[in-house]
């Protein structure tokens, strides 16, 4: 008998197998082995990151796909690594400097960058170690970093190529500016959120007139930078304003009235202020009318010298003071409450400012066209399909990408300038600069590139590009990208453009966009809201496999996942079920040394045909579901098969055989049990790698002549089961399903009438289509035993003389005679008492739901729970009333 612990302890086995996998190099990719490649590149987590539930979901999905394909025989490569995360990482180190009472400017750029590298060496591996705890089967020997030498070379190569092609340029444009991070942001790095603000209606005086015009704005502090008032030239209401001059409030600067078709006459008053230095639309209007651009703010959001006596005030303090002064002068006509979308920095949550600034841009439209065609032509498929329209809409309206950032941590822009003549040079290093200018006068651009400028090259730069490596030739294009829809534009779309531009082929064939992780109220998990669940805490309490399985089971394709700590009990309970069932089987295999796979079909019972048939139907459905990214369906299929078909039905059914005297049947049953468990562990392995590895090894240790462990060393390399149609008898499966429906009906009848398990019941079955004739005497005994019946009479012509409890199932009609089983009067008394209590509870809830104050003021989820409870109680009341009515008809 095999010695196996009574209880499953994930903490004891997870570290063991994680170390075993890494030491064995089972996940190391080798292009020289050829075969069919399957490649996934990890969305590189920020080097500052700690594992959160979003990471857990994303990487579990990737690991499932990679482990599945590896077992199918593919030459798999899961590329791992981290992102240098320019702004986020710089912010972390700057906070440390503040604790030391210094700043990056005080220590200088070179020393600051050294400090960041040191921080990265000390803390940057945290997320990688946490991914290992999650069971990720990456090639850990090929970990990449977006600032490592190879990727830096790729970034420089791309910048130079795009510049030489005329697709990278520098110009003054309105960009998104973060006054906290002191850097430009791309449009995709700005998160727009609706907030409650105000719409200020301000009177602007007309020069040489007592009249005034009214302009509405949400940002009154920017009026200090107004250089014109605009109206639509076709708007007949303002003919008299043409060629007029307006006096700017507070500042007193004279500004013209211009006509521009951009102005919507139907919006507001039909008159708008024009602030070219602080609004993108105004900037374009200013260029059309040659208006000056007056910048009234410093980079940190304080007002500058152009703001007059507001110089030095923070922007929102200026707004408050300015509005007070306008009220005093009578120039505030009205202030309205106004809900509007305001841009926030995606890193520090500061409200961004549109700011006129000299920046580097990529012209995206020429790059977008092939990427649009790739999705339209089906070269790249996006799952769920609803995201295709979102992708195409964004790509067809793409704007140029601001790629320069005013920070120090990142890829320095490979542009040099001669301080003497002003000439600009672009090259991978200063050594690429042609002779002509004195090197002493050459200075490199101070800015660094947007973090995403390295990330968009990830699928091929991690494989060695621009070098022609063996890995690049074999593993590119990659196969599947698994990510969140939030970075569809940040990252996915840009990778498609980069792959087509620099590799001449798509970077991946399938894009699977999973949902967002939310708490059980539907709120997105966030540290600031305090509603996060730490995956490492879940692993400590429930185990890694429980975390993985629970998340996958409740996450439908592309849908958001709603989590609470209690939901991880699903995975823990399933792991315990797997362990306990496997322990029972291993203990019953004894010291068996026979190769268990060689079962004898001629000895099959109906239950034997049922279990091997449903196993192969399970294999088929799981394989199909994984191929369609319906991973939760794969999880549900395995769960239902193992828990219900294998444990609840088959194992219970064959206990009679295992404890019997027929050694031939016993041996064959053990072979079937082994075969089903072995195959189930294999298809479950991608979802629950640790427990399946442990049990698979234990299973094959009892079979010394079995070559599995010797051949594969790990279940991770064992072959994925193939569907065998010769083992699937659909008629037999249906027959056994009907049998278990009959057994369930018998148990339900006993439960409905509260008959204790110790009381013997004599059931009568009026079969349909000779149902019981298809079972052997041994099988009939097993059925009777599972029904907990003293006897099961088969009477095709049976008609009860009086009313009897019964159930109609596909096998026929099952009757439960009650004579001598229960006391009619006591049962009526019991049911009447139970009915009274249920009605009391129902009345209490109905009174609560009829209370308008409760319905209006209580949280909606609380009200909904009460409604569900009322519905359930109502159904119970109806059922007991029916039972009472039926029992009263029964003869005493």
């Amino acid at each position: 008998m095999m010695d196996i612990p009574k209880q499953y302890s994930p903490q004891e086995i997870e570290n063991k197998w994680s170390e075993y996998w890494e030491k064995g190099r089972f996940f190391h990719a080798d292009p020289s082995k050829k075969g069919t490649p399957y490649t996934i590149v990890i969305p590189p987590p920020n080097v500052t990151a700690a594992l959160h539930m979003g990471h857990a979901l994303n990487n579990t999905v990737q690991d499932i796909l990679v482990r599945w394909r590896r077992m199918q025989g593919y030459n798999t490569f899961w590329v791992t690594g981290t992102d240098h995360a320019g702004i986020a990482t710089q912010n972390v180190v700057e906070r440390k400097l503040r604790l030391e009472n210094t700043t990056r400017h005080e220590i200088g750029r070179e020393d600051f960058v050294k400090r960041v590298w040191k921080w990265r060496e000390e803390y940057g591996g945290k997320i990688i170690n946490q991914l290992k705890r999650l069971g990720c089967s990456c090639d850990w020997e090929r970990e990449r970093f977006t600032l490592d030498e190879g990727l830096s070379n790729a970034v420089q190569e791309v910048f130079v190529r795009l510049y030489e092609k005329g697709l990278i340029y520098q110009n003054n444009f309105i960009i998104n500016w973060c006054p906290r991070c002191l850097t430009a942001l791309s449009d995709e790095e700005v998160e727009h959120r609706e907030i409650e603000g105000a719409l200020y209606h301000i009177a602007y005086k007309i020069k040489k007139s007592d009249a005034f015009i009214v302009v509405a704005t949400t940002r009154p502090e920017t009026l200090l930078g107004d250089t014109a008032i605009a109206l639509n030239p076709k708007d007949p209401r303002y003919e008299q304003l043409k060629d007029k001059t307006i006096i700017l409030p507070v500042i007193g600067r004279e500004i013209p009235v211009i006509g521009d078709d951009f102005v919507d006459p139907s919006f507001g008053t039909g008159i708008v202020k024009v602030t070219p230095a602080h609004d993108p639309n105004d900037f374009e209007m200013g260029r059309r009318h040659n208006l000056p651009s007056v910048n009234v703010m410093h980079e940190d959001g304080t007002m500058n010298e152009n703001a007059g006596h507001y110089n030095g005030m923070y922007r929102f303090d200026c707004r408050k003071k300015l509005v007070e002064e306008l009220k005093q002068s009578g120039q505030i006509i009205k202030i309205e409450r106004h809900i509007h979308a305001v841009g926030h920095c995606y890193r520090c949550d500061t409200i961004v400012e549109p700011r006129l600034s000299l920046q580097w841009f990529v012209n995206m439209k020429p790059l977008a066209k092939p990427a649009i065609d790739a999705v339209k032509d089906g070269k790249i498929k996006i799952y769920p399909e609803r995201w295709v329209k979102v992708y195409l809409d964004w790509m067809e309206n793409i704007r140029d990408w601001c790629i320069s950032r005013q920070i120090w941590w990142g890829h320095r822009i490979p542009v040099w300038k001669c301080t003497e003549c002003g000439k600009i040079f672009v090259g991978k290093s200063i050594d690429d600069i042609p002779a002509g200018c004195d090197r002493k006068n050459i200075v490199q651009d101070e800015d660094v590139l947007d973090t995403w400028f390295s990330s968009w090259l990830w699928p091929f730069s991690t494989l060695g590009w621009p070098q022609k490596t063996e890995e690049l030739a074999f593993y590119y294009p990659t196969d599947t990208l698994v990510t969140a829809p939030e970075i569809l534009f940040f990252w996915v779309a840009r990778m498609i453009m980069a792959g087509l531009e620099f590799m001449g082929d798509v970077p991946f064939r399938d894009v699977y966009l999973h949902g967002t992780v939310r708490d059980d109220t539907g709120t997105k998990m966030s540290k600031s809201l305090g509603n996060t669940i730490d995956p490492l805490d879940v692993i400590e309490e429930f185990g890694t496999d429980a975390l993985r399985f629970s998340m996958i089971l409740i996450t439908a394709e592309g849908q958001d996942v709603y989590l609470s700590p209690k939901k991880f009990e699903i995975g823990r309970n399933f792991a315990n079920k797997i362990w306990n069932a496997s322990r029972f089987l291993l203990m019953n295999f004894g010291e068996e040394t026979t190769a268990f796979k060689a079962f004898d079909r001629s000895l099959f019972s109906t239950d034997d045909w049922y279990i091997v048939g449903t196993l192969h139907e399970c294999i088929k459905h799981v394989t199909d579901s994984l191929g369609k990214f319906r991973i939760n369906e794969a999880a549900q299929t395995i769960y239902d098969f193992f828990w219900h078909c294998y444990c609840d039905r088959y194992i219970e059914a064959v206990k009679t055989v295992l404890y019997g005297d027929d050694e031939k049947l016993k041996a064959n049953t053990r072979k079937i049990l082994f075969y089903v468990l072995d195959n189930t562990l294999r298809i479950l392995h991608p979802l629950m790698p640790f427990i399946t590895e442990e049990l698979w090894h234990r299973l094959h240790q009892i079979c010394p002549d079995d070559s599995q462990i010797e051949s594969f060393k790990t279940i991770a390399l064992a072959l994925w089961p193939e569907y065998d149609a010769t083992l699937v008898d659909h008629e037999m499966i249906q027959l056994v399903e009907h049998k278990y429906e009959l057994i369930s009906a018998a148990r339900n009848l006993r439960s409905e009438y509260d008959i204790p398990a110790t009381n013997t019941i004599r059931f009568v079955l009026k079969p349909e289509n000779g149902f019981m004739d298809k079972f052997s005497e041994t099988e009939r005994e097993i059925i009777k035993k599972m029904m907990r019946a003293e006897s099961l009479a088969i009477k095709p012509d049976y008609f009860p003389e009086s009313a009897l409890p019964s159930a109609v199932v596909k096998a026929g009609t099952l009757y439960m005679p009650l004579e001598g089983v229960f006391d009619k009067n006591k049962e009526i008394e019991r049911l009447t008492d139970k009915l009274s209590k249920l009605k009391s509870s129902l009345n209490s809830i109905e009174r609560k739901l009829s209370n308008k104050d409760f319905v209006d003021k209580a949280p909606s989820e609380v009200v909904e729970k009460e409604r569900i409870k009322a519905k359930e109680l109502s159904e119970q009341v109806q059922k007991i009333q029916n039972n009472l009515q039926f029992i009263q008809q029964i003869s005493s």
Side-chain angles (χ1 to χ4, degrees):
M1 183 180 291
M2 173 168 280
D3 182 26
I4 179 171
K6 285 185 177 181
Q7 292 185 326
Y8 171 56
S9 177
Q11 287 74 19
E12 291 180 14
I13 72 166
E14 287 174 3
N15 287 338
K16 175 181 75 173
W17 290 118
S18 187
E19 290 172 6
Y20 175 79
W21 292 330
E22 194 163 355
K23 186 178 179 180
R25 303 179 74 222
F26 299 125
F27 310 141
H28 180 62
D30 184 354
S32 68
K33 289 184 178 178
K34 302 303 179 183
T36 304
Y38 181 80
T39 316
I40 285 185
V41 291
I42 196 172
N46 289 350
V47 71
T48 59
L51 192 72
H52 57 61
M53 279 300 175
H55 292 131
L57 175 61
N58 176 265
N59 287 282
T60 296
V61 171
Q62 291 178 82
D63 192 50
I64 289 169
L65 295 173
V66 171
R67 286 180 183 271
W68 168 51
R69 291 300 191 187
R70 186 182 291 120
M71 294 177 75
Q72 285 189 317
Y74 286 79
N75 186 333
T76 59
F77 184 12
W78 186 6
V79 181
T80 189
T82 52
D83 194 298
H84 67 277
I87 296 174
T89 309
Q90 177 155 318
N91 284 345
V92 169
V93 179
E94 285 196 84
R95 283 197 293 270
K96 287 175 67 71
L97 290 177
R98 283 198 293 274
L99 294 175
E100 300 170 20
N101 295 316
T102 187
T103 68
R104 65 181 168 108
H105 297 287
E106 289 177 5
I107 68 173
R109 183 170 193 148
E110 186 176 347
D111 284 346
F112 177 76
V113 172
K114 286 180 181 177
R115 289 285 293 264
V116 184
W117 274 108
K118 184 181 178 183
W119 181 91
R120 187 254 175 182
E121 289 166 9
E122 291 178 4
Y123 303 103
K126 179 180 179 182
I127 186 72
I128 293 297
N129 292 328
Q130 291 172 337
L131 289 174
K132 290 179 181 179
R133 285 203 68 184
L134 191 63
C136 295
S137 59
C138 304
D139 184 346
W140 301 111
E141 298 174 44
R142 287 195 174 94
E143 182 187 335
R144 302 306 302 265
F145 180 52
T146 52
L147 264 178
D148 68 28
E149 185 178 351
L151 270 66
S152 295
N153 183 40
V155 166
Q156 293 163 351
E157 179 75 22
V158 164
F159 188 96
V160 172
R161 288 195 193 185
L162 291 177
Y163 181 83
E164 290 175 347
K165 201 171 179 179
L167 294 178
I168 284 184
Y169 64 94
Q170 188 182 38
N171 209 335
N172 277 295
F173 281 107
I174 290 284
I175 49 87
N176 305 293
W177 182 265
C178 176
R180 158 64 184 80
C181 299
L182 298 178
T183 184
L185 302 171
S186 69
D187 291 339
E188 293 72 39
E189 291 171 311
V190 177
E191 296 178 348
H192 290 274
R193 294 200 297 274
E194 285 195 344
I195 65 172
E196 183 176 333
L199 189 61
Y200 301 88
H201 295 257
I202 303 171
Y204 285 54
K205 292 182 179 178
I206 301 171
K207 186 179 179 182
K208 297 180 180 179
S209 170
D210 293 331
F212 59 85
I213 60 171
V214 177
V215 174
T217 179
T218 58
R219 299 159 64 213
E221 67 278 9
T222 62
L223 72 78
L224 303 171
D226 288 359
T227 56
I229 292 296
L231 48 84
N232 192 299
K234 300 183 182 69
D235 191 339
R237 295 174 296 172
Y238 301 117
E239 284 290 330
Q240 75 280 9
L241 289 180
K242 290 180 180 178
D243 301 322
K244 295 291 185 182
T245 299
I246 305 299
I247 307 299
L248 193 63
V250 181
I251 295 293
R253 184 168 62 242
E254 296 184 359
I255 57 176
V257 175
I258 62 171
D260 195 287
D261 290 333
F262 174 79
V263 180
D264 182 359
S266 64
F267 183 77
T269 62
I271 302 175
V272 298
K273 59 195 279 300
V274 184
T275 320
H278 294 278
D279 183 273
N281 295 320
D282 292 1
F283 173 76
E284 295 298 334
M285 211 183 306
R287 291 212 300 181
R288 288 194 292 271
H289 296 273
N290 296 315
L291 298 174
S293 294
V294 179
N295 185 356
V296 297
M297 284 186 207
H298 291 297
E299 293 179 348
D300 62 359
T302 58
M303 309 307 289
N304 63 22
E305 64 281 1
N306 292 328
H309 64 278
Y310 303 105
N311 186 10
M313 295 181 70
Y314 190 60
R315 51 183 173 158
F316 300 134
D317 295 330
C318 171
R319 177 184 297 178
K320 186 177 179 182
K321 181 68 173 173
L322 175 61
V323 170
E324 286 177 2
E325 292 186 12
L326 290 173
K327 284 180 179 177
Q328 291 171 7
S329 65
Q331 289 179 276
I332 290 285
I333 305 303
K334 64 177 176 177
I335 301 175
E336 294 178 311
R337 177 177 172 271
H338 185 61
I339 305 296
H340 61 139
V342 176
H344 292 70
C345 174
Y346 81 118
R347 279 299 169 202
C348 69
D349 210 37
T350 301
I351 293 178
V352 301
E353 280 291 337
R355 176 180 174 82
L356 183 61
S357 181
L358 182 65
Q359 301 287 343
W360 289 95
F361 297 86
V362 178
N363 179 1
M364 300 301 284
K365 284 205 175 291
L367 300 174
K369 178 63 170 66
I372 291 170
D373 294 340
V375 172
K376 283 185 174 180
D377 297 343
K379 291 179 182 176
I380 294 176
K381 293 182 179 177
I382 300 176
Y383 302 84
E385 195 176 352
R386 67 178 182 273
W387 287 105
V388 172
K389 183 179 185 304
V390 179
Y391 168 88
L392 293 175
D393 286 348
W394 185 79
M395 292 290 280
E396 287 164 358
N397 296 282
I398 197 167
R399 297 174 63 180
D400 286 357
W401 176 14
C402 177
I403 57 172
S404 45
R405 298 291 179 271
Q406 289 65 52
I407 57 176
W408 290 351
W409 174 244
H411 297 277
R412 190 110 173 238
I413 291 179
V415 173
W416 285 262
K417 185 176 182 179
C418 176
T419 56
E420 285 291 315
C421 68
K423 191 173 181 181
I424 286 179
F425 305 93
V426 174
K428 294 172 72 173
S429 74
I430 195 169
D431 296 330
D432 293 339
I433 297 174
C437 298
D438 189 337
R439 291 294 173 93
K440 294 179 182 178
N441 298 325
I442 302 295
V443 294
Q444 189 174 359
D445 194 302
E446 291 287 322
D447 292 350
V448 301
L449 289 163
D450 178 8
T451 294
W452 298 99
F453 196 88
S454 51
S455 302
W456 77 323
L457 314 178
W458 188 251
F460 52 90
S461 63
T462 52
L463 300 176
W465 188 92
Q467 306 302 317
K468 294 182 179 179
T469 65
E470 191 178 4
E471 286 82 2
L472 185 65
F474 185 73
Y475 291 112
Y476 189 92
T478 70
D479 291 271
T480 307
L481 179 75
V482 179
T483 190
E486 296 97 287
I487 54 175
L488 179 59
F489 311 128
F490 271 125
W491 192 46
V492 180
R494 288 173 180 164
M495 282 192 291
I496 296 172
M497 289 184 270
L500 291 165
E501 174 68 17
F502 300 107
M503 291 295 297
D505 200 353
V506 294
F508 28 72
R509 298 178 179 89
D510 295 313
V511 177
Y512 175 66
L513 300 172
H514 58 71
T516 299
V517 178
R518 301 180 181 277
D519 66 19
D520 55 357
T521 69
T523 305
K524 184 177 179 180
M525 286 192 175
S526 164
K527 281 185 179 180
S528 62
L529 295 175
N531 65 341
T532 59
I533 300 173
D534 188 337
L536 298 179
D537 291 343
V538 176
I539 288 172
E540 286 298 321
E541 183 177 356
F542 299 96
T544 300
D545 288 330
L547 166 71
R548 290 168 58 119
F549 190 83
S550 300
M551 289 192 77
I552 293 302
L553 187 68
I554 62 176
T555 306
E557 180 198 358
Q559 300 299 311
D560 291 349
V561 53
Y562 298 85
L563 285 180
S564 66
K566 188 171 178 61
K567 289 184 178 178
F568 296 106
E569 293 177 7
I570 299 170
R572 181 181 62 187
N573 293 343
F574 189 46
N576 288 336
K577 185 75 171 180
I578 296 163
W579 184 265
N580 292 336
S582 300
R583 182 175 183 273
F584 169 80
L585 298 179
L586 289 167
M587 291 176 69
N588 272 280
F589 289 151
E591 301 299 327
E592 183 69 64
T593 59
T594 306
F596 283 114
K597 289 189 294 181
F599 48 66
D600 185 348
R601 299 188 193 193
S602 68
L603 297 175
F604 271 18
S605 67
T606 55
D607 277 297
D608 295 336
W609 279 111
Y610 170 76
I611 200 61
V612 294
T614 52
L615 167 68
H616 280 274
E617 287 293 285
C618 176
I619 291 168
K620 183 172 185 284
H621 190 69
V622 168
T623 305
D624 290 346
S625 296
L626 291 176
K628 295 173 182 175
F629 301 103
R630 294 173 181 167
I631 304 174
N632 69 304
E633 292 183 15
Q636 188 68 57
T637 299
I638 300 171
Y639 181 92
D640 290 341
F641 169 76
F642 189 85
W643 195 300
H644 302 301
C645 300
Y646 192 48
C647 295
D648 291 352
R649 294 179 176 180
Y650 186 71
I651 291 177
E652 290 302 314
V654 300
K655 281 181 180 178
T656 301
V657 177
L658 292 175
Y659 300 148
D661 299 325
D662 191 327
E663 294 300 325
K664 196 173 183 180
L665 276 182
K666 191 185 294 186
N668 204 53
T669 300
R670 285 174 175 167
K671 292 172 184 178
I672 296 167
L673 286 165
F674 180 98
Y675 174 80
V676 176
L677 180 59
D678 176 57
N679 281 278
T680 305
L681 291 175
R682 294 185 196 216
I683 60 174
L684 182 59
H685 175 70
L687 288 88
M688 303 178 81
F690 293 106
I691 192 172
T692 52
E693 186 75 82
E694 176 75 13
L695 291 172
W696 187 80
H697 274 262
R698 288 181 178 274
L699 186 64
H700 286 278
Q701 282 170 6
I702 65 172
C703 203
D705 62 333
D706 180 48
S707 62
Q708 295 290 309
I709 294 178
E710 185 63 34
S711 299
F712 302 118
K713 311 293 185 187
T714 167
I715 191 174
L717 299 180
L719 298 179
W720 184 260
E722 291 187 6
Y723 176 73
D724 185 349
T726 67
L727 286 171
V728 181
D729 185 329
H730 292 289
E731 287 187 9
M732 196 67 73
I733 290 173
Q734 187 179 64
L735 175 71
V736 177
E737 289 285 356
H738 293 172
K739 177 184 79 172
Y740 284 108
E741 183 188 27
L742 174 67
I743 292 168
S744 179
R747 292 175 178 177
N748 289 340
L749 284 173
R750 180 188 284 269
S751 174
E752 280 180 25
Y753 290 90
D754 200 36
I755 298 172
T758 53
N759 287 26
T760 55
I761 298 286
R762 295 182 296 275
F763 286 103
V764 177
L765 175 66
K766 183 179 181 179
E768 286 284 334
N769 303 317
F771 177 76
M772 292 302 291
D773 298 340
K774 299 168 186 176
F775 295 100
S776 67
E777 282 301 319
T778 301
E779 289 175 321
R780 290 189 186 193
E781 283 300 310
I782 292 173
I783 294 171
K784 185 179 75 173
K785 187 173 182 180
M786 295 182 78
M787 291 171 71
R788 301 170 193 153
E790 179 186 350
S791 65
L792 174 61
I794 311 301
K795 299 183 177 181
D797 301 321
Y798 182 72
F799 289 100
E801 295 178 1
S802 60
L804 288 180
S806 63
V808 178
V809 292
K810 294 182 180 67
T813 304
L814 182 68
Y815 295 94
M816 185 175 71
L818 296 174
E819 184 180 351
V821 174
F822 83 140
D823 186 308
K824 175 180 175 180
N825 293 329
K826 282 186 178 180
E827 182 64 8
I828 291 173
E829 184 181 337
R830 183 186 72 83
L831 290 177
T832 303
D833 182 58
K834 188 174 182 180
L835 181 63
S836 175
K837 290 176 180 177
L838 285 172
K839 283 184 174 181
S840 176
S841 298
L842 179 59
N843 289 337
S844 175
I845 293 174
E846 286 177 340
R847 282 196 302 272
K848 191 184 291 186
L849 289 172
S850 64
N851 185 330
K852 193 173 185 302
D853 281 347
F854 170 75
V855 175
D856 292 343
K857 295 177 182 179
S860 58
E861 61 269 19
V862 172
V863 176
E864 184 59 26
K865 282 180 182 177
E866 292 297 307
R867 285 178 176 148
I868 291 170
K869 199 184 297 181
K871 184 174 183 292
E872 291 172 349
L873 286 171
S874 180
E875 289 172 353
Q876 290 178 46
V877 165
Q878 185 62 50
K879 187 174 182 180
I880 289 179
Q881 285 175 336
N882 291 342
N883 282 356
L884 267 171
Q885 185 178 1
F886 181 79
I887 289 172
Q888 286 163 351
Q889 296 174 16
I890 297 173
S891 301
S892 299

